[in-house]
Amino acid sequence: MKYNDLIVGSGLFGAVYAREALDSGRSVAVIERRDHIGGNVYTKRVSDIDVHVYGAHIFHTSDREVWEYVNRFAEFNNYINSPVAIYGDELYNLPFNMNTFSKMWGIKTPAEAKAKIAEQIRDLDIKEPKNLEEQALSLVGRDVYEKLIKGYTEKQWGRPCNELPAFIIRRLPLRFVYDNNYFTDRYQGIPVDGYTALVEKLLKGADIFTGEDFFDFRKNNTLKDGAGIEYDRLIFTGQIDQYFDYQYGPLEYRSVRFETEELDTDNYQGNAVVNYTSADVPYTRIIEHKHFNFGKQPTTIISREYSSEWKPGVEPYYPINDEKNNELYQRYADLAGKEKKKDVYFGGRLGQYKYYNMDQVIAEALSLSEEIL
Ligand code: UDP
């Protein structure tokens, strides 16, 4: 079998590139290690509920081109993410906003909230935050940091907050208005038929080989059944360090384990996302999937998320973009740059070792497509 493009991985990067390549008249094959398409955005319908099998994915973007692009392939609902955080027997709204501050301190006005934060960090004298802890303290003060950030972040990343990069916490908005919308983006929603249907449409017309490990394939260019695949161009969306046989050593990732169960109630926690921010609760959050689609099903499905260090054999979810890993990645990226001569390109969270959101992955895939198609 001969194709113009072989794409490794059927997540959003691979699927968007595939769509663009197909639309420009190229033939496309996709190799996917799992037995289904979609990468980590994969959703599976169970008891009429779209379960976000590899963690909650809420689409949000301010990029109109990206928004219009995804809307060509899926209808989106008007879900707005407004998680709550539970710390012991206290409950707070996220992201950090006037609802959070008013509950934390019994205050009412933005001026009072700002004064409270200023008072809590007066002695610290942080000029330029060097790490996540300093960044968080300087933004929201000690109480919010201790109750809503420290425990959650250390569970999530398995590292102390003063050893983590500041940008991670800047993902979250901080605002002095009563607004619980987790994102500041102009467009937001969840595909009404799930992400798998969206990816299916993107991949329509490609030959898809699931249950095929690229590294097994690479040994002699054959699939499990012995069929050969020839191709001109390779788009690789797996782990970049693995592609280069870990020759400079492995990059670090965080993984997540999900404990998913169906419960005989129609509404377990009253919200799609509830974060557990205290260090003594072993999971970071509980997702109640039906609420992403305003589901009215008689039962519910929940997933507890447990964060762990990645090791071979488990799924990588989050690159750890600290200095050490970013430097190592840069060495792999230099190798990747040289592969361009061979018509090999890297993309996605794993291929580019970046804590990308979905819209950024799509924008990257579209910009690569524009460049090379
Ligand atoms: N975070 C936190 N408390 C929370 C939620 C988030 O401290 O209740 C911090 C934590 O460090 C986390 C980061 O904010 O890793 C980014 O959160 P986000 O919700 O963007 O993470 P994702 O959904 O990508 O896992």
Side-chain angles (χ1 to χ4, degrees), residues 218-229:
R218 188 164 73 174
K219 285 182 198 131
N220 38 16
N221 274 356
T222 57
L223 299 172
K224 282 194 298 213
D225 65 1
I229 293 189

Side-chain angles (χ1 to χ4, degrees), residues 93-104:
N93 288 111
L94 293 174
F96 311 119
N97 74 90
M98 284 306 296
N99 289 304
T100 326
F101 304 137
S102 125
K103 183 103 174 242
M104 186 74 67

Side-chain angles (χ1 to χ4, degrees), residues 53-338:
V53 175
Y54 302 97
H57 284 76
I58 300 136
F59 197 89
H60 57 98
T61 189
S62 293
D63 185 332
R64 187 147 73 127
E65 200 189 321
V66 167
W67 181 243
E68 284 171 358
Y69 188 82
V70 290
N71 275 272
R72 276 171 49 199
F73 304 98
E75 188 188 335
F76 282 74
N77 68 16
N78 62 339
Y79 177 81
I80 298 278
N81 196 33
S82 321
V84 295
I86 291 182
Y87 177 80
D89 57 7
E90 301 166 32
L91 184 145
Y92 297 94
N93 288 111
L94 293 174
F96 311 119
N97 74 90
M98 284 306 296
N99 289 304
T100 326
F101 304 137
S102 125
K103 183 103 174 242
M104 186 74 67
W105 298 313
I107 52 98
K108 294 187 187 66
T109 66
E112 288 172 300
K114 286 180 185 170
K116 201 78 189 165
I117 292 169
E119 172 198 314
Q120 297 203 340
I121 56 170
R122 199 165 25 211
D123 311 332
L124 297 173
D125 194 33
I126 299 166
K127 296 231 162 55
E128 233 181 74
K130 289 188 295 297
N131 54 52
L132 194 153
E133 177 173 88
E134 291 190 1
Q135 178 72 74
L137 282 167
S138 68
L139 290 173
V140 292
R142 183 156 305 274
D143 290 339
V144 176
Y145 172 67
E146 298 284 347
K147 289 186 173 180
L148 303 184
I149 297 176
K150 190 173 193 300
Y152 185 95
T153 298
E154 299 195 346
K155 284 191 286 188
Q156 164 72 12
W157 296 98
R159 289 155 175 73
C161 287
N162 58 12
E163 289 176 18
L164 285 163
F167 85 87
I168 293 179
I169 204 70
R170 290 196 301 263
R171 285 172 62 84
L172 308 192
L174 158 68
R175 46 173 101 96
F176 294 90
V177 287
Y178 289 91
D179 177 0
N180 296 327
N181 183 348
Y182 200 60
F183 303 114
T184 39
D185 284 320
R186 171 126 181 229
Y187 310 104
Q188 184 170 175
I190 306 272
V192 294
D193 295 316
Y195 285 95
T196 305
L198 161 67
V199 175
E200 254 162 31
K201 285 203 178 143
L202 287 167
L203 289 173
K204 192 156 188 262
D207 284 350
I208 302 166
F209 303 96
T210 54
E212 296 282 353
D213 185 307
F214 169 73
F215 296 99
D216 293 338
F217 164 80
R218 188 164 73 174
K219 285 182 198 131
N220 38 16
N221 274 356
T222 57
L223 299 172
K224 282 194 298 213
D225 65 1
I229 293 189
E230 287 175 56
Y231 54 91
D232 306 320
R233 172 178 291 162
L234 182 69
I235 303 290
F236 181 80
T237 71
Q239 290 168 254
I240 187 170
D241 52 342
Q242 186 179 13
Y243 180 91
F244 292 110
D245 300 314
Y246 304 108
Q247 59 181 272
Y248 299 134
L251 288 162
E252 293 176 300
Y253 302 85
R254 290 297 283 176
S255 187
V256 189
R257 179 171 65 82
F258 299 95
E259 220 173 66
T260 298
E261 56 180 319
E262 182 163 5
L263 303 175
D264 200 12
T265 168
D266 66 337
N267 189 2
Y268 172 71
Q269 64 182 9
N271 207 25
V273 183
V274 178
N275 290 2
Y276 286 81
T277 56
S278 139
D280 22 280
V281 178
Y283 40 87
T284 51
R285 55 190 169 194
I286 300 181
I287 302 301
E288 187 168 11
H289 302 269
K290 70 190 303 178
H291 296 309
F292 288 127
N293 294 85
F294 316 109
K296 299 278 185 293
Q297 301 85 350
T299 64
T300 195
I301 297 177
I302 62 162
S303 300
R304 292 183 197 84
E305 287 187 24
Y306 297 84
S307 182
S308 65
E309 199 65 16
W310 175 82
K311 54 183 189 315
V314 300
E315 298 290 347
Y317 286 80
Y318 296 90
I320 300 176
N321 290 116
D322 59 12
E323 232 169 88
K324 180 182 86 178
N325 283 291
N326 283 346
E327 274 168 26
L328 183 55
Y329 165 69
Q330 202 42 57
R331 299 179 69 195
Y332 285 117
D334 292 344
L335 292 180
K338 296 191 185 113

